[in-house]
Amino acid sequence: MTNITTQHPFGNEITLDILLNDFQKSKAWEEKYRQLIQLSRKLPALPNELKTSEQEIKGCENKVWLGVELNSDGKYHVYGDSDGRIVKGLLTIILTAVENKTAQEIADIDMLAIFEQLGLANQISQSRTDGVNAIIARLKSLTSQY
């Protein structure tokens, strides 16, 4: 059962189709940047007790925390937070793609292709791309443990 303190709208009310539609309307990078910031504001902050060193992802410029809960139906609730607005916005895209999916479905997701479809792949810095890759690797590791 999803923990009340980790609930967020991504993957449920905000779907990948909605994100694709919204981002395709934005042609300039500045517009996409604003959308990332708006998305970051929709992700509730994690309580401090969930911002542990075990949940912190190494290899990110900003602090990023990621956690998973296995629901009784075999699908995952994935939650996270970041202290950087853009990174938090990028995290919301990842959460949207993986929320309520099985470990195999998560393993099969090509997040970089999703960022490409959103028009973000060539716009984010190499250090942020490395951070996104670290988030994805950690997520796949966490979900393969169950």
Side-chain angles (χ1 to χ4, degrees):
M1 185 53 78
T2 300
N3 186 322
I4 192 80
T5 61
T6 63
Q7 286 183 336
H8 57 73
F10 300 98
N12 298 309
E13 297 107 66
I14 299 172
T15 64
L16 212 44
D17 286 340
I18 290 171
L19 290 184
L20 287 169
N21 188 38
D22 289 348
F23 274 86
Q24 286 171 348
K25 291 177 189 171
S26 301
K27 300 302 176 204
W29 165 239
E30 293 78 18
E31 293 172 24
K32 292 179 189 294
Y33 184 85
R34 273 193 295 279
Q35 282 187 284
L36 283 174
I37 291 171
Q38 288 173 341
L39 285 171
S40 74
R41 291 180 181 145
K42 293 179 181 177
L43 182 61
L46 285 179
N48 286 335
E49 62 266 17
L50 292 178
K51 292 181 177 179
T52 63
S53 57
E54 294 82 38
Q55 290 192 303
E56 188 176 338
I57 296 177
K58 310 301 181 232
C60 292
E61 231 175 67
N62 298 97
K63 288 191 179 252
V64 177
W65 299 272
L66 187 73
V68 300
E69 295 171 2
L70 183 60
N71 295 320
S72 59
D73 62 1
K75 295 182 179 185
Y76 284 90
H77 167 58
V78 183
Y79 57 90
D81 198 358
S82 175
D83 62 0
R85 291 184 308 175
I86 296 301
V87 173
K88 192 169 180 173
L90 296 170
L91 178 60
T92 66
I93 294 169
I94 295 169
L95 295 178
T96 301
V98 301
E99 181 67 16
N100 208 28
K101 301 271 193 302
T102 65
Q104 186 59 55
E105 288 171 324
I106 291 170
D108 291 343
I109 292 172
D110 184 348
M111 280 307 306
L112 297 179
I114 291 170
F115 281 100
E116 187 77 41
Q117 288 178 301
L118 294 170
L120 297 171
N122 297 326
Q123 301 296 329
I124 55 177
S125 67
Q126 185 58 50
S127 62
R128 285 194 177 126
T129 300
D130 292 345
V132 165
N133 287 331
I135 293 168
I136 295 165
R138 178 68 178 277
L139 177 62
K140 290 182 179 186
S141 170
L142 286 172
T143 56
S144 69
Q145 293 175 14
Y146 287 93

